[in-house]
Amino acid sequence: MTSRIAAALATCALSLGALASGVGAAAAAPSAAGDAEAPSFKAAVDARAAAVDRCRYQVVRSDDSRYVYSVSGIIGGSARELPIQKEDFVRFSDKWLKVTQVDACAGGQGQAPATLRVTGKLERPENYEPSVPRTIRSDALRPAPSSVIPKAPRLTSVDRLDAATVRVNWEPAQGNPDQVVLLERKPFYSSEIGLWHPYTFQWNVPSGATSMDRKLQRNPDIPAEVRSHSYWMRVLKGGFVSDLRAEKPTTVEP
């Protein structure tokens, strides 16, 4: 998919999220093309890190889409780039941040990193003025303990209320998270390009809620390969997110 198409999809999705009413508030991840045109430039990466378990670490960072990012760990006195297991854009309050989970045990390594660091390399330096930094970095990040990573509630069922409506049910959230989020991946139509495409929305859940009703997209023009709807839970607390690799979507057909 071209960057123009991706940008159009994200712009339409953001507009849809801003207009959403009723229970919760929807948000769609920002487009890379849009971020690249941001007027202000920073020569550093704002980031924080925490241990998910003995091998996995979560890094939450700011994002400038002109750069390609990596995470390195200082292990035994030397720096080693850590493979990315999963990453996603997550909305924290009023801003989008990139959440990345890396594996410090890959390749048989057993020693935990003392610190982590995020490095961004300008992807196409020939397209930018010399004043734009070619490399940006975070400070050295000493990982917080695994206790700061919140636990997402288990999604228990997706019940069909009628032909076009399902009720998503989950267990009560534990540990007083800052925000509980229902993620919904469903077909989204972009009128700008005339295309149905899977898109993930993040719906903020009111405190104490354990269910949410969602409408299914049943337009006959939706291609068969993108008709399915998927739902899963996520929580945010203290600037960190529940384990991304533990997310197991429940899929239903319209």
Side-chain angles (χ1 to χ4, degrees), residues 36-86:
E37 298 172 359
S40 60
F41 305 133
K42 297 177 67 175
V45 181
D46 183 13
R48 52 185 173 270
V52 178
D53 53 31
R54 189 180 69 83
C55 289
R56 294 178 295 171
Y57 292 81
Q58 183 179 111
V59 177
V60 181
R61 63 166 171 81
S62 56
D63 187 76
D64 182 333
S65 63
R66 300 170 301 168
Y67 294 85
V68 176
Y69 294 87
S70 62
V71 178
S72 58
I74 305 302
I75 301 175
S78 60
R80 179 169 64 88
E81 184 172 336
L82 305 180
I84 294 174
Q85 295 181 315
K86 190 172 182 179

Side-chain angles (χ1 to χ4, degrees), residues 89-182:
F89 278 107
V90 178
R91 188 174 183 85
F92 289 81
S93 184
D94 61 346
K95 61 182 176 181
W96 288 97
L97 297 175
K98 194 65 169 287
V99 177
T100 301
Q101 285 186 199
V102 296
D103 183 3
C105 293
Q109 296 290 332
Q111 186 176 352
T115 59
L116 302 174
R117 186 185 295 276
V118 179
T119 301
K121 299 285 188 181
L122 194 62
E123 187 171 17
R124 296 182 179 87
E126 68 278 5
N127 294 340
Y128 297 95
E129 296 292 332
S131 59
V132 177
R134 269 42 188 169
T135 302
I136 56 177
R137 295 184 177 87
S138 71
D139 293 331
L141 308 172
R142 188 172 295 278
S146 59
S147 58
V148 306
I149 300 294
K151 303 281 187 197
R154 186 175 67 91
L155 194 154
T156 56
S157 66
V158 180
D159 302 328
R160 195 175 295 270
L161 301 183
D162 56 45
T165 311
V166 295
R167 176 166 294 165
V168 185
N169 303 283
W170 57 88
E171 294 179 342
Q174 304 298 315
N176 298 312
D178 299 330
Q179 184 63 59
V180 178
V181 177
L182 170 66

